Amino acid sequence: MSIIVHHLEESRSQRVLWLMEELGLDYAVKRYSRNPQTRLAPPELKELHPLGKSPVVEKNGRIYAESGAIVEYFAETEAHGALSVLPGDPARAEYLYWLHFAEGSAMLPLLLKLYVGMLGENGAPLMQMRIDPEIANHLSFMNSAMEGKDFFAAGRFTAADIEMSFVLDAGASRGGLENYPNLVRVRAGYQSRPAYQRALEKGGPYKMGA
Ligand SMILES: N[C@@H](CCC(=O)N[C@@H](CS)C(=O)NCC(=O)O)C(=O)O
């Protein structure tokens, strides 16, 4: 098999498994567990890429890292670009916007919540003054953008939805999406896709998807 997805439990590599399933590619999964104390990835991942993070994809001996880049590259080059919005399409800018917004903007306050939360009471002022309002700022914006829509770009399911799905999962697990009904609806639509279900089977337990 020429494609191997190096999948860390409860991580962004869930996106890549889902992408592989949506594209109908033949691939193998190598699963990695997090350190139960630190929740960090095991050192073996550093043998594939210096950062030692997931996702990493290996294809014909070449290594691909960074989930957005993986999703963009494979969507563009596989299945005749069916999940991509290719250059020349009027929706291309909107597609790239959401594809990059996921890691470039939306994940930062959600990650800060995770890390600053580890400080307990010491982190509470920062959480209240800056992090929680920034999460609300981003989720409210996404919720408004999804009014009357099921997909983030081009009026159809694209790789941008796959990239954004992890933001919705992180939002759901770090504060909840109750105030954002459009995001709840969009996320339920993703989860009902057969390829999404198959990706869950391939990757093993994914509590963030609950
Ligand atoms: N922006 C990168 C982030 C990669 C990343 O931080 N992955 C996390 C999993 S969601 C990881 O490997 N964490 C374990 C660690 O840092 O040891 C991407 O989207 O691929």
Side-chain angles (χ1 to χ4, degrees):
M1 193 163 310
S2 62
I3 300 179
I4 304 169
V5 178
H6 294 272
H7 171 64
L8 178 67
E9 62 174 339
E10 299 290 341
S11 84
R12 289 162 168 89
S13 47
Q14 197 65 40
R15 285 170 170 150
V16 177
L17 299 178
W18 185 20
L19 177 79
M20 296 289 149
E21 291 295 333
E22 291 281 356
L23 290 171
L25 298 180
D26 191 18
Y27 68 102
V29 183
K30 187 159 180 209
R31 289 195 201 171
Y32 299 80
S33 300
R34 289 177 181 268
N35 178 305
Q37 269 82 48
T38 63
R39 303 298 295 155
L40 293 175
E44 298 99 275
L45 277 174
K46 283 213 162 122
E47 290 162 22
L48 295 164
H49 186 280
L51 292 180
K53 300 203 181 278
S54 174
V56 169
V57 175
E58 215 174 330
K59 185 183 173 195
N60 298 333
R62 186 169 171 177
I63 294 292
Y64 299 82
E66 192 63 44
S67 65
I70 294 169
V71 165
E72 188 171 341
Y73 177 75
F74 281 87
E76 208 164 287
T77 55
E78 302 286 347
H80 308 288
L83 289 188
S84 183
V85 180
L86 296 169
D89 190 311
R92 168 92 170 161
E94 177 186 54
Y95 167 73
L96 290 178
Y97 176 79
W98 291 112
L99 201 54
H100 292 271
F101 171 86
E103 287 295 317
S105 291
M107 281 308 294
L108 177 63
L110 290 162
L111 275 175
L112 284 172
K113 186 163 177 104
L114 182 70
Y115 293 143
V116 174
M118 292 174 188
L119 298 173
E121 276 309 302
N122 291 334
L126 183 58
M127 199 75 95
Q128 282 153 23
M129 275 188 311
R130 202 62 203 264
I131 297 173
D132 284 337
E134 271 303 313
I135 291 177
N137 187 25
H138 285 75
L139 292 180
S140 301
F141 164 63
M142 289 156 54
N143 191 61
S144 302
M146 295 313 284
E147 187 67 42
K149 289 189 189 177
D150 290 328
F151 307 114
F152 275 92
R156 62 181 169 88
F157 181 76
T158 69
D161 293 293
I162 293 178
E163 193 61 14
M164 285 298 292
S165 67
F166 189 78
V167 174
L168 301 186
D169 293 346
S173 70
R174 285 168 214 164
L177 295 179
E178 291 73 25
N179 297 329
Y180 310 104
N182 293 329
L183 301 184
V184 171
R185 174 179 47 75
V186 166
R187 186 166 179 251
Y190 292 162
Q191 291 176 340
S192 71
R193 294 178 72 91
Y196 181 96
Q197 300 293 331
R198 291 196 300 274
L200 283 183
E201 282 163 29
K202 290 269 177 78
Y206 180 56
K207 292 194 207 84
M208 288 180 73

